[in-house]
């Protein structure tokens, strides 16, 4: 393992003592769902309070949320082999690690990340890589888990080489929360190793501006300096970042760290995480306050990963009101406007 166990807190006794929580509460949730936080993020969360603590502290509400589906995105049925999710025609997710440096309480894959349910073995990884090799329609491979940076550099390098050797694979993406949760894992040698697999993209995961510490920004800089384009995914979370002011600061801090905001996800309907979901009106109102008022470079796509494996859809808000011979719309300040919606010369006439 590339991450030393001493940098992580996993014992419920130690966890409750460090955060001054009732042991019984931590232990009850821990009996059902995995528990872990990096010492680094634990200290940060103690400084900044609820928005960070909510992401890592087990909540009794997790145990009460039993009617919600465990696998809302139908990922298990979309897996032709256990370590691969093939939902869209041209891209697939390769699951390479079941562990993370911290277990987010709102994790969409809470049903298996950090548990015995998630089985990843050299043979299963080989089977997944074989599937990619024999399915040339897949041109974009997303390496995920868990957190792929929980693997050693050598192990990850081996997987990357195997994927890169497939001629039909055009781009590789890695999804990781390590710059946020354990920035010290991002070393110059890791960045250098990754840079041998271009075109390689990294999608980071940040939810709150306080997560962009000096250490996190240094980790992002190491990766950006290795020529790796950095994107960020953020989950809209009740009591964490469900306000335009908080998100605006997060988005600007990401851009300053050379990370391009990519998606703002509506929280998935995943068992044990329902207390994190906002309404869609809340997300749309936030996007409406951001659009036009912050740099377009900072704006992510607000999206929902639709239940039952339907894929992601943008959730707007929509500025177009009517389409006919004219397009009527309202601007970000609420002003009405019109734009012609016909061809001139008409179709069939010579240009
Ligand atoms: C999100 C996701 C992708 C990638 O979607 P993009 O919109 O291309 O970023 C691919 N496969 C699965 C299963 C996903 O959940
Ligand atoms: S880092 Fe990602 S995969 Fe790991 S627990 Fe958090 S949301 Fe889930």
């Amino acid at each position: 393992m590339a991450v030393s166990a001493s940098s992580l807190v996993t014992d419920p006794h130690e966890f409750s003592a460090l955060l001054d929580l009732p042991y019984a509460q931590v232990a009850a949730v821990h009996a059902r769902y995995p528990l872990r936080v990096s010492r680094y993020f634990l200290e940060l969360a103690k400084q900044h309070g609820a928005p960070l603590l909510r992401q890592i502290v087990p909540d009794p509400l997790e145990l009460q949320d039993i009617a919600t589906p465990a696998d809302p995105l139908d990922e298990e049925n979309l897996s032709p082999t256990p370590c691969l999710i093939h939902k869209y025609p041209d891209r697939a997710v390769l699951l390479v690690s079941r562990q993370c440096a911290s277990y987010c309480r709102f994790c969409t894959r809470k049903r298996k990340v950090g548990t015995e349910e998630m089985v990843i073995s050299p043979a299963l990884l080989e089977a997944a890589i074989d599937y990619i090799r024999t399915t040339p329609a897949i041109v974009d491979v997303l390496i995920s888990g868990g957190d792929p940076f929980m693997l050693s550099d050598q192990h990850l390098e081996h997987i990357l080489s195997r994927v890169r050797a497939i001629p039909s694979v055009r781009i590789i993406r890695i999804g990781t929360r390590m710059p946020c949760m354990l920035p010290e894992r991002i070393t110059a040698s890791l960045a250098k190793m990754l840079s041998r697999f271009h075109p390689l993209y990294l999608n980071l995961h940040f939810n709150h501006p306080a997560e962009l510490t000096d250490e996190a920004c240094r980790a992002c800089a190491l990766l950006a300096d290795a020529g790796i384009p950095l994107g960020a995914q953020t989950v809209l979370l009740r009591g964490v970042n469900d306000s335009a002011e908080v998100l605006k600061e997060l988005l600007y801090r990401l851009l300053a760290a050379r990370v391009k905001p990519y998606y703002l996800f509506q929280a998935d309907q995943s068992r044990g995480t329902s207390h994190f979901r906002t309404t869609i009106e809340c997300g749309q109102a936030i996007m409406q306050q951001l659009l036009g008022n912050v740099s377009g470079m900072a704006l992510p796509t607000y999206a929902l990963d639709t239940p039952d494996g339907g894929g992601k859809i943008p959730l707007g808000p929509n500025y177009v009101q009517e389409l006919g011979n004219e397009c009527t719309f309202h601007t970000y300040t609420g002003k009405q406007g019109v734009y012609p919606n016909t061809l001139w010369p008409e179709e069939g006439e010579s240009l």
Side-chain angles (χ1 to χ4, degrees), residues 250-310:
L250 169 66
L251 297 172
Y252 271 123
R253 285 196 196 182
L254 286 170
L255 277 190
R258 290 186 277 167
V259 182
K260 170 76 185 83
Y262 177 43
Y263 275 129
L264 172 66
F265 285 121
Q266 175 65 20
D268 288 322
Q269 181 198 15
S270 199
R271 187 178 302 160
T273 72
S274 288
H275 54 299
F276 283 107
R277 286 206 311 275
T278 64
T279 61
I280 292 170
E281 286 90 339
C282 164
Q284 288 186 332
I286 288 173
M287 287 304 289
Q288 196 140 8
Q289 288 172 73
L290 295 176
L291 194 137
N293 294 309
V294 307
S295 165
M297 281 291 293
L299 283 184
T301 301
Y302 173 43
L304 169 70
D305 211 341
T306 57
D308 302 321

Side-chain angles (χ1 to χ4, degrees), residues 186-319:
I186 311 300
T187 58
S189 53
L190 172 66
K192 189 168 169 217
M193 182 278 280
L194 295 172
S195 72
R196 294 187 21 239
F197 297 97
H198 282 312
L200 175 92
Y201 291 74
L202 279 187
N203 269 333
L204 314 180
H205 177 166
F206 287 97
N207 293 330
H208 191 276
E211 295 167 3
L212 273 296
T213 60
D214 289 348
E215 291 94 327
C217 292
R218 212 172 304 128
C220 294
L222 267 177
L223 297 164
D225 285 346
I228 304 167
L230 304 177
Q233 305 190 159
T234 298
V235 187
L236 182 60
L237 298 167
R238 188 173 175 193
V240 172
N241 59 10
D242 51 344
S243 98
E245 294 71 42
V246 169
L247 281 177
K248 181 178 176 176
E249 185 58 24
L250 169 66
L251 297 172
Y252 271 123
R253 285 196 196 182
L254 286 170
L255 277 190
R258 290 186 277 167
V259 182
K260 170 76 185 83
Y262 177 43
Y263 275 129
L264 172 66
F265 285 121
Q266 175 65 20
D268 288 322
Q269 181 198 15
S270 199
R271 187 178 302 160
T273 72
S274 288
H275 54 299
F276 283 107
R277 286 206 311 275
T278 64
T279 61
I280 292 170
E281 286 90 339
C282 164
Q284 288 186 332
I286 288 173
M287 287 304 289
Q288 196 140 8
Q289 288 172 73
L290 295 176
L291 194 137
N293 294 309
V294 307
S295 165
M297 281 291 293
L299 283 184
T301 301
Y302 173 43
L304 169 70
D305 211 341
T306 57
D308 302 321
K312 297 176 182 68
I313 55 166
L315 288 178
N318 190 15
Y319 288 77

Side-chain angles (χ1 to χ4, degrees), residues 19-256:
L19 285 168
D20 209 6
L21 293 163
Y23 169 73
Q25 172 192 319
V26 172
V29 182
H30 177 241
R32 174 70 187 81
Y33 291 115
L35 174 76
R36 177 182 285 175
V37 65
S38 64
R39 292 185 193 280
Y40 160 85
F41 196 84
L42 186 143
E43 281 310 314
L44 193 66
K46 278 168 83 167
Q47 283 169 40
H48 292 276
L52 271 57
L53 287 171
R54 271 178 70 74
Q55 298 186 54
I56 51 145
V57 172
D59 190 316
L61 289 173
E62 293 174 41
L63 300 176
Q64 294 172 34
D65 181 30
I66 46 174
T68 308
D71 179 18
L73 307 178
D74 207 24
E75 291 188 336
E76 301 302 334
N77 284 323
L78 291 166
S79 295
T81 171
C83 298
L84 196 89
I85 309 167
H86 190 196
K87 170 152 75 177
Y88 298 106
D90 71 336
R91 48 216 195 273
V93 175
L94 179 63
L95 302 171
V96 302
S97 164
R98 75 167 169 203
Q99 298 192 54
C100 302
S102 303
Y103 292 124
C104 311
R105 305 320 301 174
F106 54 84
C107 182
T108 291
R109 295 197 187 113
K110 202 176 172 86
R111 68 182 183 282
K112 63 180 191 176
V113 164
T115 79
E116 304 288 316
E117 297 296 305
M118 194 159 185
V119 182
I120 294 169
S121 66
L124 287 174
L125 276 177
E126 257 332 287
I129 291 169
D130 270 340
Y131 179 91
I132 298 170
R133 187 182 303 108
T134 53
T135 314
I138 297 172
V139 299
D140 178 0
V141 176
L142 286 73
I143 298 181
S144 182
D147 198 314
F149 289 170
M150 287 302 287
L151 306 182
S152 68
D153 289 7
Q154 296 89 313
H155 189 173
L156 188 58
E157 180 174 18
H158 173 74
I159 294 169
L160 285 167
S161 317
R162 306 280 296 153
V163 175
R164 194 28 101 209
I166 302 172
S168 41
V169 172
R170 293 180 154 192
I171 67 165
I172 300 176
R173 304 190 230 177
I174 299 177
T176 176
R177 209 177 173 192
M178 211 54 93
C180 172
M181 287 302 182
L182 196 63
E184 70 197 49
R185 170 68 186 93
I186 311 300
T187 58
S189 53
L190 172 66
K192 189 168 169 217
M193 182 278 280
L194 295 172
S195 72
R196 294 187 21 239
F197 297 97
H198 282 312
L200 175 92
Y201 291 74
L202 279 187
N203 269 333
L204 314 180
H205 177 166
F206 287 97
N207 293 330
H208 191 276
E211 295 167 3
L212 273 296
T213 60
D214 289 348
E215 291 94 327
C217 292
R218 212 172 304 128
C220 294
L222 267 177
L223 297 164
D225 285 346
I228 304 167
L230 304 177
Q233 305 190 159
T234 298
V235 187
L236 182 60
L237 298 167
R238 188 173 175 193
V240 172
N241 59 10
D242 51 344
S243 98
E245 294 71 42
V246 169
L247 281 177
K248 181 178 176 176
E249 185 58 24
L250 169 66
L251 297 172
Y252 271 123
R253 285 196 196 182
L254 286 170
L255 277 190

